[in-house]
C-alpha cells in the first residue's frame, strides 16, 4: 500500500517539525517544505465524500487540508483561534476543503470529544461545536469533556441534545473515530496538530501565512484537485 510505503518518510518529517509545534515561526516552514518536496503526493487520503459530517468546503475544491487534532491539545485550540479563520476565507471562496480527523492521543476524554464532534456533525453542527470546544482559544479540560458536559454543550449550540446523546454512544460513531485515529497512527502523526495540506505534511500550530502560502502556490500552479 502506498501509504505504508511512505510512512517512514512522513514520520521523519513530522518528527522534524515537532520542535516547532505551536511556534509562530514561518521560517521553520522552509525546512519542512524542502523535506516535503521529496515526499509522494498524499492527496489520495482526502476522502472528498458528499455529506461528510467532519468536513467543510466543496468536495471539488482545488486544495484539500486534512487536520489531525485532539480536543485536549492546547496547540490545537490556539491554531483554531489564530489560523483557522484565515483558512475559512478560502473555504468560503470554494478554494479549500477541510477534513477533520481526530487523533485522541490524550485518552478517553479526547476520544469522547472526538465522538461528540462527529455526533454534532451528523446534525450539521460540527463547525459550531468544534468552536465551542475550543472557545477562547483554549481547551475545556477533562471535566468539560465528560458525557453530560458534552450533551449540555450540544444544546447550547442549538443541537438536538437527545439525538446528539444517541449518536455520541452509537457504534457507527465509534467506528468512524477509530478509523480516523488509525489513519493518523499509520502516518506517524503522533504530534498535534498535524496536517496534510495539498498532499504534503505540515506540523504544529503554524501561523496563517504558512498555510496560505501553500494554498496560493497550489492554486496558482493548478495542482489542486478540480
Amino acid at each position: 500500500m502506498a501509504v505504508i510505503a511512505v510512512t517512514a518518510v512522513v514520520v521523519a518529517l513530522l518528527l522534524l517539525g515537532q520542535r516547532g509545534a505551536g511556534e509562530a515561526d514561518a521560517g521553520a516552514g522552509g525546512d519542512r517544505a524542502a523535506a516535503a518536496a521529496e515526499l509522494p503526493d498524499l492527496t489520495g487520503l482526502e476522502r472528498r465524500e458528499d455529506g461528510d459530517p467532519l468536513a467543510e468546503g466543496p468536495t471539488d475544491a482545488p486544495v484539500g487540508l486534512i487536520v489531525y487534532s485532539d480536543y485536549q491539545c492546547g496547540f490545537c485550540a490556539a491554531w483554531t483561534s489564530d489560523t483557522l479563520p484565515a483558512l475559512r476565507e478560502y473555504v468560503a471562496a470554494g478554494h479549500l476543503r477541510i477534513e477533520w480527523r481526530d487523533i485522541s492521543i490524550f485518552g478517553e476524554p479526547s476520544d469522547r470529544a472526538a465522538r461528540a464532534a462527529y455526533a454534532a456533525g451528523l446534525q450539521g453542527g460540527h463547525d459550531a461545536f468544534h468552536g465551542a470546544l475550543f472557545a477562547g482559544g483554549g481547551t475545556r479540560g477533562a471535566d468539560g469533556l465528560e458525557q453530560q458536559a458534552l450533551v449540555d454543550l450540544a444544546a447550547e449550540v442549538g443541537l438536538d441534545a437527545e439525538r446528539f446523546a444517541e449518536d455520541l454512544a452509537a457504534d457507527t460513531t465509534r467506528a468512524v473515530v477509530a478509523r480516523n485515529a488509525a489513519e493518523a497512527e499509520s502516518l506517524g502523526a503522533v504530534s498535534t496538530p498535524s496536517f496534510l495540506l495539498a498532499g504534503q505534511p505540515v506540523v504544529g500550530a503554524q501561523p496563517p501565512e504558512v498555510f496560505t502560502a501553500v494554498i496560493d502556490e497550489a492554486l496558482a500552479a493548478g495542482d489542486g484537485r478540480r
Side-chain angles (χ1 to χ4, degrees), residues 13 22 93 208:
L13 182 60

Side-chain angles (χ1 to χ4, degrees), residues 19-49:
R19 292 178 300 171
E23 297 176 2
D25 181 6
D31 292 337
R32 283 188 295 277
E38 302 176 2
L39 288 173
D41 184 353
L42 297 178
T43 55
L45 290 175
E46 298 166 12
R47 296 173 188 166
R48 304 287 184 143
E49 297 171 352

Side-chain angles (χ1 to χ4, degrees), residues 46 106 116 130 198 205:
E46 298 166 12
F106 294 115
H130 177 90

Side-chain angles (χ1 to χ4, degrees), residues 7 14 17 19 23 25 44-45 51 60 63 68 99 103 108 115 136 143 147 158 164 168:
T7 294
L14 293 175
R19 292 178 300 171
E23 297 176 2
D25 181 6
L45 290 175
D60 61 350
V63 183
Y68 299 102
E99 298 181 355
I103 298 181
E108 175 59 25
R115 289 188 281 114
D143 289 346
Q147 178 164 328
F164 174 88
L168 175 61

Side-chain angles (χ1 to χ4, degrees), residues 53-54 71 100 102 104 107-134 140 142 144-155 157 159-170 172-178 180:
L54 297 179
Y71 285 110
W100 303 89
D102 297 309
S104 306
E108 175 59 25
S110 296
D111 184 76
R112 189 163 47 245
R115 289 188 281 114
Y118 183 78
L122 291 174
Q123 296 188 47
H126 176 268
D127 296 357
F129 194 78
H130 177 90
L133 286 174
F134 284 146
R140 292 170 59 85
L145 302 180
E146 293 293 336
Q147 178 164 328
Q148 189 56 53
L150 292 168
V151 172
D152 291 343
L153 184 62
V157 300
L159 302 179
D160 181 329
E162 183 175 352
R163 176 185 169 188
F164 174 88
E166 292 175 356
D167 290 334
L168 175 61
T172 52
T173 300
R174 292 181 183 275
V176 169
V177 170
N180 291 342

Side-chain angles (χ1 to χ4, degrees), residues 168-220:
L168 175 61
D171 289 341
T172 52
T173 300
R174 292 181 183 275
V176 169
V177 170
R179 174 193 179 190
N180 291 342
E183 176 183 292
E185 183 178 359
S186 75
L187 287 171
V190 295
S191 174
T192 54
S194 292
F195 311 88
L196 288 177
L197 176 58
Q200 301 295 347
V202 177
V203 177
Q206 303 296 333
E209 55 266 25
V210 171
F211 292 84
T212 58
V214 175
I215 296 170
D216 289 342
E217 181 179 356
L219 291 174

